[in-house]
Amino acid sequence: MSVSAEIAALDRALARAGADVTIIRTGLPSVPCRARVNGLTAESIRPGSSSSQGNYRAILSPTPFPAGFLPLRTTDKILWNGQQRVITFAWPLPIGTAPVRIEVDFTG
């Protein structure tokens, strides 16, 4: 599947079953987007992330992000369910050099 087809499929899935979130970076406009958010078990928390209760993983599409905003950083915040939360880990999943999916761990 091509990069554009992968991103389009993810966008459709998030439109159907995603939640509204906003990515916040100091000094730049916030980016509203859709995400699939799941709670994390102790086994699925990445090394270096907090092991406290209230850990989540969000799957995002690169589509809503303006040029220069990606990659996401651990200094960025995510607004989900009315609460601003701390991003503890963020990584793109690429095909070649183009990100087709972004995964973000956050706590709060």
Side-chain angles (χ1 to χ4, degrees), residues 46-93:
R46 298 207 179 269
S49 294
S50 169
S51 62
S52 64
Q53 191 172 4
N55 289 287
Y56 302 91
R57 181 164 297 146
I59 297 169
L60 308 165
S61 169
T63 300
F65 294 96
F69 204 100
L70 295 176
L72 296 182
R73 307 171 183 161
T74 56
T75 54
D76 296 335
K77 308 285 186 226
I78 186 168
L79 180 66
W80 176 63
N81 277 350
Q83 291 185 321
Q84 186 172 301
R85 297 148 193 269
V86 177
I87 293 176
T88 57
F89 202 84
W91 66 101
L93 294 154

Side-chain angles (χ1 to χ4, degrees), residues 40-46 51:
L40 295 178
T41 63
E43 294 81 28
S44 61
I45 295 174
R46 298 207 179 269
S51 62

